[in-house]
Amino acid sequence: MRTVIAGGHGKIARRLERLLAGRGDEVSGLIRRPDQAGALLAAGAEPVVCDLESAGVEDVARHLEGADAAVFAAGAGPGSGAARKETVDRAAAVLFADAAERAGVRRFVVVSAMNVDEEPPPGTDPVFAAYLRAKGAADAGIRSRSGLSWTILRPGRLTDGHGTGRVHLAEKAPRGDVTRDDVAAVLVTLLDTPGTAGLTLDLTNGDTPIPEAVAAVLR
């Protein structure tokens, strides 16, 4: 399988790249800067310089040609302002979805965040509120597309501990933490499970082995 990952230099993306490349898949990661290429090569991925804040849909579609799946794992990241939440967390996700449709790549998996369908509560930091609204708008736009077999994964608070291999995966889950290792492992299983298309799933660490947790949401 060939998978193209937007946000290829991100912490979750590099873990996902290692898992996919490690089992023999072909994986490409879109990156903003050439100096990020070494990290992708070390993970076994092909680095592709493509800034989703300035690229056009045809440019991105060319990088997706021949792919079996696309994963949107990009984000403006900590330290960015409200404007970049809009240009990356929302607009880049829409652009990547447009490009996937243009390139004929139906399988489309998104790394989102929990509770982004709800209006941020009063007193929420304005930049974080902008992030939540941007992710919610992106998710809503992707869910409206009939040309994509989309799955939206919404992890809880991300941590860098070692993966446990055990999670709580459900259409609605209480807030909680989840390791980036486990997010990447769940993404692999979702890519391998086309029956999860059309699902929006919350993810935290829990007690259920990942293959069982994914199988359970299909019932």
PDB file of all heavy atoms in Angstrom, residues 108-147:
ATOM      1  N   PHE A 108      -9.276   8.180   3.088  1.00  0.00           N
ATOM      2  CA  PHE A 108      -8.822   9.460   3.632  1.00  0.00           C
ATOM      3  C   PHE A 108      -9.043   9.430   5.141  1.00  0.00           C
ATOM      4  O   PHE A 108     -10.179   9.344   5.612  1.00  0.00           O
ATOM      5  CB  PHE A 108      -9.641  10.589   2.994  1.00  0.00           C
ATOM      6  CG  PHE A 108      -9.065  11.963   3.193  1.00  0.00           C
ATOM      7  CD1 PHE A 108      -8.122  12.463   2.321  1.00  0.00           C
ATOM      8  CD2 PHE A 108      -9.478  12.762   4.233  1.00  0.00           C
ATOM      9  CE1 PHE A 108      -7.591  13.743   2.477  1.00  0.00           C
ATOM     10  CE2 PHE A 108      -8.965  14.044   4.409  1.00  0.00           C
ATOM     11  CZ  PHE A 108      -8.017  14.529   3.522  1.00  0.00           C
ATOM     12  N   VAL A 109      -7.939   9.495   5.885  1.00  0.00           N
ATOM     13  CA  VAL A 109      -8.008   9.430   7.347  1.00  0.00           C
ATOM     14  C   VAL A 109      -7.487  10.747   7.920  1.00  0.00           C
ATOM     15  O   VAL A 109      -6.453  11.256   7.473  1.00  0.00           O
ATOM     16  CB  VAL A 109      -7.201   8.235   7.889  1.00  0.00           C
ATOM     17  CG1 VAL A 109      -7.240   8.200   9.411  1.00  0.00           C
ATOM     18  CG2 VAL A 109      -7.761   6.925   7.313  1.00  0.00           C
ATOM     19  N   VAL A 110      -8.199  11.277   8.886  1.00  0.00           N
ATOM     20  CA  VAL A 110      -7.873  12.573   9.473  1.00  0.00           C
ATOM     21  C   VAL A 110      -7.529  12.398  10.949  1.00  0.00           C
ATOM     22  O   VAL A 110      -8.236  11.697  11.680  1.00  0.00           O
ATOM     23  CB  VAL A 110      -9.072  13.538   9.361  1.00  0.00           C
ATOM     24  CG1 VAL A 110      -8.757  14.875  10.024  1.00  0.00           C
ATOM     25  CG2 VAL A 110      -9.451  13.746   7.904  1.00  0.00           C
ATOM     26  N   VAL A 111      -6.458  13.054  11.380  1.00  0.00           N
ATOM     27  CA  VAL A 111      -6.165  13.160  12.811  1.00  0.00           C
ATOM     28  C   VAL A 111      -6.746  14.488  13.282  1.00  0.00           C
ATOM     29  O   VAL A 111      -6.270  15.562  12.890  1.00  0.00           O
ATOM     30  CB  VAL A 111      -4.652  13.107  13.091  1.00  0.00           C
ATOM     31  CG1 VAL A 111      -4.400  13.184  14.592  1.00  0.00           C
ATOM     32  CG2 VAL A 111      -4.044  11.840  12.512  1.00  0.00           C
ATOM     33  N   SER A 112      -7.768  14.419  14.113  1.00  0.00           N
ATOM     34  CA  SER A 112      -8.465  15.615  14.577  1.00  0.00           C
ATOM     35  C   SER A 112      -8.253  15.760  16.084  1.00  0.00           C
ATOM     36  O   SER A 112      -7.156  15.511  16.586  1.00  0.00           O
ATOM     37  CB  SER A 112      -9.950  15.526  14.200  1.00  0.00           C
ATOM     38  OG  SER A 112     -10.639  16.703  14.558  1.00  0.00           O
ATOM     39  N   ALA A 113      -9.265  16.152  16.812  1.00  0.00           N
ATOM     40  CA  ALA A 113      -9.175  16.327  18.263  1.00  0.00           C
ATOM     41  C   ALA A 113     -10.563  16.143  18.861  1.00  0.00           C
ATOM     42  O   ALA A 113     -11.579  16.339  18.179  1.00  0.00           O
ATOM     43  CB  ALA A 113      -8.626  17.720  18.612  1.00  0.00           C
ATOM     44  N   MET A 114     -10.601  15.801  20.126  1.00  0.00           N
ATOM     45  CA  MET A 114     -11.876  15.542  20.792  1.00  0.00           C
ATOM     46  C   MET A 114     -12.673  16.835  20.972  1.00  0.00           C
ATOM     47  O   MET A 114     -12.113  17.926  21.141  1.00  0.00           O
ATOM     48  CB  MET A 114     -11.640  14.886  22.158  1.00  0.00           C
ATOM     49  CG  MET A 114     -11.066  13.481  22.063  1.00  0.00           C
ATOM     50  SD  MET A 114     -10.779  12.703  23.676  1.00  0.00           S
ATOM     51  CE  MET A 114     -12.465  12.301  24.147  1.00  0.00           C
ATOM     52  N   ASN A 115     -13.990  16.689  20.904  1.00  0.00           N
ATOM     53  CA  ASN A 115     -14.948  17.747  21.260  1.00  0.00           C
ATOM     54  C   ASN A 115     -14.911  18.957  20.336  1.00  0.00           C
ATOM     55  O   ASN A 115     -15.360  20.043  20.729  1.00  0.00           O
ATOM     56  CB  ASN A 115     -14.742  18.197  22.713  1.00  0.00           C
ATOM     57  CG  ASN A 115     -14.918  17.077  23.698  1.00  0.00           C
ATOM     58  OD1 ASN A 115     -15.862  16.290  23.599  1.00  0.00           O
ATOM     59  ND2 ASN A 115     -14.001  16.947  24.650  1.00  0.00           N
ATOM     60  N   VAL A 116     -14.420  18.789  19.107  1.00  0.00           N
ATOM     61  CA  VAL A 116     -14.348  19.963  18.234  1.00  0.00           C
ATOM     62  C   VAL A 116     -15.680  20.275  17.548  1.00  0.00           C
ATOM     63  O   VAL A 116     -15.784  21.308  16.878  1.00  0.00           O
ATOM     64  CB  VAL A 116     -13.228  19.812  17.180  1.00  0.00           C
ATOM     65  CG1 VAL A 116     -11.872  19.717  17.850  1.00  0.00           C
ATOM     66  CG2 VAL A 116     -13.473  18.633  16.251  1.00  0.00           C
ATOM     67  N   ASP A 117     -16.697  19.432  17.726  1.00  0.00           N
ATOM     68  CA  ASP A 117     -18.015  19.747  17.194  1.00  0.00           C
ATOM     69  C   ASP A 117     -18.772  20.713  18.111  1.00  0.00           C
ATOM     70  O   ASP A 117     -19.829  21.221  17.738  1.00  0.00           O
ATOM     71  CB  ASP A 117     -18.855  18.475  17.022  1.00  0.00           C
ATOM     72  CG  ASP A 117     -18.340  17.612  15.884  1.00  0.00           C
ATOM     73  OD1 ASP A 117     -17.741  18.167  14.949  1.00  0.00           O
ATOM     74  OD2 ASP A 117     -18.537  16.393  15.933  1.00  0.00           O
ATOM     75  N   GLU A 118     -18.230  20.936  19.302  1.00  0.00           N
ATOM     76  CA  GLU A 118     -18.903  21.786  20.281  1.00  0.00           C
ATOM     77  C   GLU A 118     -18.262  23.167  20.302  1.00  0.00           C
ATOM     78  O   GLU A 118     -17.064  23.314  20.071  1.00  0.00           O
ATOM     79  CB  GLU A 118     -18.796  21.155  21.681  1.00  0.00           C
ATOM     80  CG  GLU A 118     -19.311  19.726  21.736  1.00  0.00           C
ATOM     81  CD  GLU A 118     -18.863  18.994  22.995  1.00  0.00           C
ATOM     82  OE1 GLU A 118     -18.322  19.670  23.905  1.00  0.00           O
ATOM     83  OE2 GLU A 118     -19.050  17.772  23.049  1.00  0.00           O
ATOM     84  N   GLU A 119     -19.067  24.188  20.600  1.00  0.00           N
ATOM     85  CA  GLU A 119     -18.521  25.530  20.753  1.00  0.00           C
ATOM     86  C   GLU A 119     -17.622  25.562  21.992  1.00  0.00           C
ATOM     87  O   GLU A 119     -17.987  25.027  23.044  1.00  0.00           O
ATOM     88  CB  GLU A 119     -19.653  26.552  20.904  1.00  0.00           C
ATOM     89  CG  GLU A 119     -19.226  27.982  21.077  1.00  0.00           C
ATOM     90  CD  GLU A 119     -18.435  28.546  19.900  1.00  0.00           C
ATOM     91  OE1 GLU A 119     -18.461  27.950  18.793  1.00  0.00           O
ATOM     92  OE2 GLU A 119     -17.786  29.591  20.082  1.00  0.00           O
ATOM     93  N   PRO A 120     -16.411  26.124  21.887  1.00  0.00           N
ATOM     94  CA  PRO A 120     -15.525  26.186  23.059  1.00  0.00           C
ATOM     95  C   PRO A 120     -16.210  26.873  24.237  1.00  0.00           C
ATOM     96  O   PRO A 120     -16.923  27.864  24.044  1.00  0.00           O
ATOM     97  CB  PRO A 120     -14.332  27.014  22.546  1.00  0.00           C
ATOM     98  CG  PRO A 120     -14.350  26.833  21.073  1.00  0.00           C
ATOM     99  CD  PRO A 120     -15.790  26.705  20.682  1.00  0.00           C
ATOM    100  N   PRO A 121     -16.029  26.349  25.442  1.00  0.00           N
ATOM    101  CA  PRO A 121     -16.688  26.946  26.607  1.00  0.00           C
ATOM    102  C   PRO A 121     -16.188  28.358  26.886  1.00  0.00           C
ATOM    103  O   PRO A 121     -15.071  28.717  26.490  1.00  0.00           O
ATOM    104  CB  PRO A 121     -16.334  25.996  27.751  1.00  0.00           C
ATOM    105  CG  PRO A 121     -15.159  25.218  27.277  1.00  0.00           C
ATOM    106  CD  PRO A 121     -15.232  25.165  25.793  1.00  0.00           C
ATOM    107  N   PRO A 122     -16.994  29.172  27.550  1.00  0.00           N
ATOM    108  CA  PRO A 122     -16.564  30.524  27.899  1.00  0.00           C
ATOM    109  C   PRO A 122     -15.249  30.492  28.684  1.00  0.00           C
ATOM    110  O   PRO A 122     -15.028  29.601  29.509  1.00  0.00           O
ATOM    111  CB  PRO A 122     -17.706  31.043  28.772  1.00  0.00           C
ATOM    112  CG  PRO A 122     -18.899  30.240  28.361  1.00  0.00           C
ATOM    113  CD  PRO A 122     -18.366  28.884  28.014  1.00  0.00           C
ATOM    114  N   GLY A 123     -14.383  31.436  28.399  1.00  0.00           N
ATOM    115  CA  GLY A 123     -13.107  31.506  29.088  1.00  0.00           C
ATOM    116  C   GLY A 123     -12.000  30.733  28.423  1.00  0.00           C
ATOM    117  O   GLY A 123     -10.849  30.776  28.867  1.00  0.00           O
ATOM    118  N   THR A 124     -12.306  29.987  27.328  1.00  0.00           N
ATOM    119  CA  THR A 124     -11.261  29.257  26.609  1.00  0.00           C
ATOM    120  C   THR A 124     -10.265  30.248  26.003  1.00  0.00           C
ATOM    121  O   THR A 124     -10.652  31.295  25.482  1.00  0.00           O
ATOM    122  CB  THR A 124     -11.879  28.408  25.488  1.00  0.00           C
ATOM    123  OG1 THR A 124     -12.810  27.488  26.055  1.00  0.00           O
ATOM    124  CG2 THR A 124     -10.807  27.627  24.733  1.00  0.00           C
ATOM    125  N   ASP A 125      -8.987  29.933  26.104  1.00  0.00           N
ATOM    126  CA  ASP A 125      -7.960  30.757  25.479  1.00  0.00           C
ATOM    127  C   ASP A 125      -8.334  31.007  24.018  1.00  0.00           C
ATOM    128  O   ASP A 125      -8.699  30.072  23.300  1.00  0.00           O
ATOM    129  CB  ASP A 125      -6.607  30.034  25.554  1.00  0.00           C
ATOM    130  CG  ASP A 125      -5.541  30.743  24.764  1.00  0.00           C
ATOM    131  OD1 ASP A 125      -4.998  31.738  25.257  1.00  0.00           O
ATOM    132  OD2 ASP A 125      -5.257  30.287  23.627  1.00  0.00           O
ATOM    133  N   PRO A 126      -8.271  32.255  23.550  1.00  0.00           N
ATOM    134  CA  PRO A 126      -8.741  32.566  22.191  1.00  0.00           C
ATOM    135  C   PRO A 126      -8.036  31.778  21.092  1.00  0.00           C
ATOM    136  O   PRO A 126      -8.677  31.385  20.108  1.00  0.00           O
ATOM    137  CB  PRO A 126      -8.468  34.070  22.063  1.00  0.00           C
ATOM    138  CG  PRO A 126      -8.447  34.587  23.469  1.00  0.00           C
ATOM    139  CD  PRO A 126      -7.901  33.469  24.302  1.00  0.00           C
ATOM    140  N   VAL A 127      -6.735  31.555  21.229  1.00  0.00           N
ATOM    141  CA  VAL A 127      -6.021  30.806  20.191  1.00  0.00           C
ATOM    142  C   VAL A 127      -6.452  29.342  20.200  1.00  0.00           C
ATOM    143  O   VAL A 127      -6.654  28.726  19.146  1.00  0.00           O
ATOM    144  CB  VAL A 127      -4.501  30.941  20.368  1.00  0.00           C
ATOM    145  CG1 VAL A 127      -3.761  30.044  19.384  1.00  0.00           C
ATOM    146  CG2 VAL A 127      -4.070  32.390  20.172  1.00  0.00           C
ATOM    147  N   PHE A 128      -6.621  28.776  21.402  1.00  0.00           N
ATOM    148  CA  PHE A 128      -7.071  27.387  21.474  1.00  0.00           C
ATOM    149  C   PHE A 128      -8.502  27.269  20.955  1.00  0.00           C
ATOM    150  O   PHE A 128      -8.843  26.294  20.270  1.00  0.00           O
ATOM    151  CB  PHE A 128      -6.977  26.869  22.907  1.00  0.00           C
ATOM    152  CG  PHE A 128      -7.256  25.401  23.036  1.00  0.00           C
ATOM    153  CD1 PHE A 128      -6.493  24.468  22.360  1.00  0.00           C
ATOM    154  CD2 PHE A 128      -8.304  24.948  23.826  1.00  0.00           C
ATOM    155  CE1 PHE A 128      -6.757  23.109  22.459  1.00  0.00           C
ATOM    156  CE2 PHE A 128      -8.574  23.587  23.943  1.00  0.00           C
ATOM    157  CZ  PHE A 128      -7.800  22.665  23.256  1.00  0.00           C
ATOM    158  N   ALA A 129      -9.326  28.269  21.236  1.00  0.00           N
ATOM    159  CA  ALA A 129     -10.694  28.262  20.714  1.00  0.00           C
ATOM    160  C   ALA A 129     -10.680  28.305  19.183  1.00  0.00           C
ATOM    161  O   ALA A 129     -11.460  27.616  18.519  1.00  0.00           O
ATOM    162  CB  ALA A 129     -11.480  29.442  21.275  1.00  0.00           C
ATOM    163  N   ALA A 130      -9.768  29.100  18.619  1.00  0.00           N
ATOM    164  CA  ALA A 130      -9.645  29.164  17.159  1.00  0.00           C
ATOM    165  C   ALA A 130      -9.230  27.805  16.599  1.00  0.00           C
ATOM    166  O   ALA A 130      -9.709  27.383  15.538  1.00  0.00           O
ATOM    167  CB  ALA A 130      -8.636  30.237  16.762  1.00  0.00           C
ATOM    168  N   TYR A 131      -8.340  27.128  17.317  1.00  0.00           N
ATOM    169  CA  TYR A 131      -7.915  25.782  16.902  1.00  0.00           C
ATOM    170  C   TYR A 131      -9.106  24.820  16.901  1.00  0.00           C
ATOM    171  O   TYR A 131      -9.322  24.085  15.918  1.00  0.00           O
ATOM    172  CB  TYR A 131      -6.824  25.287  17.844  1.00  0.00           C
ATOM    173  CG  TYR A 131      -6.555  23.811  17.775  1.00  0.00           C
ATOM    174  CD1 TYR A 131      -5.830  23.259  16.728  1.00  0.00           C
ATOM    175  CD2 TYR A 131      -7.030  22.950  18.773  1.00  0.00           C
ATOM    176  CE1 TYR A 131      -5.589  21.897  16.660  1.00  0.00           C
ATOM    177  CE2 TYR A 131      -6.795  21.594  18.717  1.00  0.00           C
ATOM    178  CZ  TYR A 131      -6.078  21.071  17.656  1.00  0.00           C
ATOM    179  OH  TYR A 131      -5.848  19.714  17.600  1.00  0.00           O
ATOM    180  N   LEU A 132      -9.877  24.819  17.970  1.00  0.00           N
ATOM    181  CA  LEU A 132     -11.010  23.899  18.059  1.00  0.00           C
ATOM    182  C   LEU A 132     -12.030  24.172  16.952  1.00  0.00           C
ATOM    183  O   LEU A 132     -12.548  23.243  16.325  1.00  0.00           O
ATOM    184  CB  LEU A 132     -11.673  24.026  19.427  1.00  0.00           C
ATOM    185  CG  LEU A 132     -10.835  23.598  20.639  1.00  0.00           C
ATOM    186  CD1 LEU A 132     -11.563  23.922  21.941  1.00  0.00           C
ATOM    187  CD2 LEU A 132     -10.500  22.107  20.573  1.00  0.00           C
ATOM    188  N   ARG A 133     -12.303  25.452  16.703  1.00  0.00           N
ATOM    189  CA  ARG A 133     -13.261  25.792  15.655  1.00  0.00           C
ATOM    190  C   ARG A 133     -12.733  25.393  14.283  1.00  0.00           C
ATOM    191  O   ARG A 133     -13.488  24.910  13.432  1.00  0.00           O
ATOM    192  CB  ARG A 133     -13.571  27.289  15.696  1.00  0.00           C
ATOM    193  CG  ARG A 133     -14.338  27.728  16.944  1.00  0.00           C
ATOM    194  CD  ARG A 133     -14.762  29.176  16.849  1.00  0.00           C
ATOM    195  NE  ARG A 133     -15.462  29.607  18.061  1.00  0.00           N
ATOM    196  CZ  ARG A 133     -14.913  30.404  18.979  1.00  0.00           C
ATOM    197  NH1 ARG A 133     -13.680  30.881  18.814  1.00  0.00           N
ATOM    198  NH2 ARG A 133     -15.603  30.739  20.056  1.00  0.00           N
ATOM    199  N   ALA A 134     -11.431  25.589  14.052  1.00  0.00           N
ATOM    200  CA  ALA A 134     -10.846  25.230  12.759  1.00  0.00           C
ATOM    201  C   ALA A 134     -10.923  23.726  12.529  1.00  0.00           C
ATOM    202  O   ALA A 134     -11.278  23.266  11.424  1.00  0.00           O
ATOM    203  CB  ALA A 134      -9.400  25.713  12.692  1.00  0.00           C
ATOM    204  N   LYS A 135     -10.595  22.944  13.557  1.00  0.00           N
ATOM    205  CA  LYS A 135     -10.663  21.491  13.411  1.00  0.00           C
ATOM    206  C   LYS A 135     -12.107  21.037  13.198  1.00  0.00           C
ATOM    207  O   LYS A 135     -12.375  20.147  12.374  1.00  0.00           O
ATOM    208  CB  LYS A 135     -10.080  20.808  14.649  1.00  0.00           C
ATOM    209  CG  LYS A 135      -8.594  21.038  14.865  1.00  0.00           C
ATOM    210  CD  LYS A 135      -7.740  20.494  13.749  1.00  0.00           C
ATOM    211  CE  LYS A 135      -7.537  19.001  13.814  1.00  0.00           C
ATOM    212  NZ  LYS A 135      -6.551  18.534  12.789  1.00  0.00           N
ATOM    213  N   GLY A 136     -13.029  21.645  13.928  1.00  0.00           N
ATOM    214  CA  GLY A 136     -14.429  21.280  13.757  1.00  0.00           C
ATOM    215  C   GLY A 136     -14.940  21.586  12.363  1.00  0.00           C
ATOM    216  O   GLY A 136     -15.662  20.784  11.747  1.00  0.00           O
ATOM    217  N   ALA A 137     -14.554  22.749  11.827  1.00  0.00           N
ATOM    218  CA  ALA A 137     -14.978  23.123  10.480  1.00  0.00           C
ATOM    219  C   ALA A 137     -14.368  22.188   9.438  1.00  0.00           C
ATOM    220  O   ALA A 137     -15.036  21.791   8.470  1.00  0.00           O
ATOM    221  CB  ALA A 137     -14.590  24.571  10.200  1.00  0.00           C
ATOM    222  N   ALA A 138     -13.093  21.840   9.626  1.00  0.00           N
ATOM    223  CA  ALA A 138     -12.449  20.916   8.689  1.00  0.00           C
ATOM    224  C   ALA A 138     -13.144  19.562   8.706  1.00  0.00           C
ATOM    225  O   ALA A 138     -13.425  18.975   7.649  1.00  0.00           O
ATOM    226  CB  ALA A 138     -10.978  20.766   9.043  1.00  0.00           C
ATOM    227  N   ASP A 139     -13.412  19.054   9.895  1.00  0.00           N
ATOM    228  CA  ASP A 139     -14.078  17.745  10.001  1.00  0.00           C
ATOM    229  C   ASP A 139     -15.443  17.771   9.325  1.00  0.00           C
ATOM    230  O   ASP A 139     -15.815  16.842   8.599  1.00  0.00           O
ATOM    231  CB  ASP A 139     -14.240  17.347  11.464  1.00  0.00           C
ATOM    232  CG  ASP A 139     -12.927  16.987  12.136  1.00  0.00           C
ATOM    233  OD1 ASP A 139     -11.879  17.015  11.466  1.00  0.00           O
ATOM    234  OD2 ASP A 139     -12.964  16.681  13.353  1.00  0.00           O
ATOM    235  N   ALA A 140     -16.206  18.846   9.568  1.00  0.00           N
ATOM    236  CA  ALA A 140     -17.538  18.945   8.975  1.00  0.00           C
ATOM    237  C   ALA A 140     -17.454  18.962   7.459  1.00  0.00           C
ATOM    238  O   ALA A 140     -18.262  18.320   6.765  1.00  0.00           O
ATOM    239  CB  ALA A 140     -18.246  20.195   9.491  1.00  0.00           C
ATOM    240  N   GLY A 141     -16.475  19.676   6.922  1.00  0.00           N
ATOM    241  CA  GLY A 141     -16.323  19.719   5.480  1.00  0.00           C
ATOM    242  C   GLY A 141     -15.953  18.377   4.885  1.00  0.00           C
ATOM    243  O   GLY A 141     -16.450  18.002   3.814  1.00  0.00           O
ATOM    244  N   ILE A 142     -15.105  17.646   5.572  1.00  0.00           N
ATOM    245  CA  ILE A 142     -14.688  16.333   5.062  1.00  0.00           C
ATOM    246  C   ILE A 142     -15.831  15.333   5.165  1.00  0.00           C
ATOM    247  O   ILE A 142     -16.046  14.516   4.262  1.00  0.00           O
ATOM    248  CB  ILE A 142     -13.427  15.873   5.810  1.00  0.00           C
ATOM    249  CG1 ILE A 142     -12.224  16.718   5.329  1.00  0.00           C
ATOM    250  CG2 ILE A 142     -13.167  14.379   5.582  1.00  0.00           C
ATOM    251  CD1 ILE A 142     -11.032  16.655   6.222  1.00  0.00           C
ATOM    252  N   ARG A 143     -16.602  15.396   6.239  1.00  0.00           N
ATOM    253  CA  ARG A 143     -17.727  14.457   6.398  1.00  0.00           C
ATOM    254  C   ARG A 143     -18.809  14.677   5.350  1.00  0.00           C
ATOM    255  O   ARG A 143     -19.626  13.773   5.120  1.00  0.00           O
ATOM    256  CB  ARG A 143     -18.317  14.578   7.803  1.00  0.00           C
ATOM    257  CG  ARG A 143     -17.452  13.944   8.866  1.00  0.00           C
ATOM    258  CD  ARG A 143     -18.160  13.858  10.200  1.00  0.00           C
ATOM    259  NE  ARG A 143     -18.533  15.148  10.714  1.00  0.00           N
ATOM    260  CZ  ARG A 143     -18.337  15.537  11.982  1.00  0.00           C
ATOM    261  NH1 ARG A 143     -17.740  14.729  12.836  1.00  0.00           N
ATOM    262  NH2 ARG A 143     -18.735  16.718  12.381  1.00  0.00           N
ATOM    263  N   SER A 144     -18.834  15.846   4.726  1.00  0.00           N
ATOM    264  CA  SER A 144     -19.865  16.132   3.727  1.00  0.00           C
ATOM    265  C   SER A 144     -19.525  15.565   2.355  1.00  0.00           C
ATOM    266  O   SER A 144     -20.341  15.643   1.436  1.00  0.00           O
ATOM    267  CB  SER A 144     -20.056  17.649   3.613  1.00  0.00           C
ATOM    268  OG  SER A 144     -18.935  18.253   2.978  1.00  0.00           O
ATOM    269  N   ARG A 145     -18.343  15.002   2.195  1.00  0.00           N
ATOM    270  CA  ARG A 145     -17.870  14.568   0.871  1.00  0.00           C
ATOM    271  C   ARG A 145     -18.244  13.117   0.584  1.00  0.00           C
ATOM    272  O   ARG A 145     -17.883  12.213   1.320  1.00  0.00           O
ATOM    273  CB  ARG A 145     -16.349  14.731   0.790  1.00  0.00           C
ATOM    274  CG  ARG A 145     -15.891  16.182   0.869  1.00  0.00           C
ATOM    275  CD  ARG A 145     -14.394  16.256   1.041  1.00  0.00           C
ATOM    276  NE  ARG A 145     -13.949  17.622   1.239  1.00  0.00           N
ATOM    277  CZ  ARG A 145     -13.380  18.370   0.295  1.00  0.00           C
ATOM    278  NH1 ARG A 145     -13.164  17.873  -0.902  1.00  0.00           N
ATOM    279  NH2 ARG A 145     -13.005  19.611   0.553  1.00  0.00           N
ATOM    280  N   SER A 146     -18.897  12.922  -0.535  1.00  0.00           N
ATOM    281  CA  SER A 146     -19.230  11.563  -0.950  1.00  0.00           C
ATOM    282  C   SER A 146     -18.104  10.929  -1.757  1.00  0.00           C
ATOM    283  O   SER A 146     -18.098   9.713  -1.965  1.00  0.00           O
ATOM    284  CB  SER A 146     -20.512  11.575  -1.789  1.00  0.00           C
ATOM    285  OG  SER A 146     -20.340  12.389  -2.944  1.00  0.00           O
ATOM    286  N   GLY A 147     -17.129  11.739  -2.179  1.00  0.00           N
ATOM    287  CA  GLY A 147     -16.041  11.208  -2.985  1.00  0.00           C
ATOM    288  C   GLY A 147     -14.893  10.637  -2.189  1.00  0.00           C
ATOM    289  O   GLY A 147     -13.909  10.162  -2.778  1.00  0.00           O
TER     290      GLY A 147
END
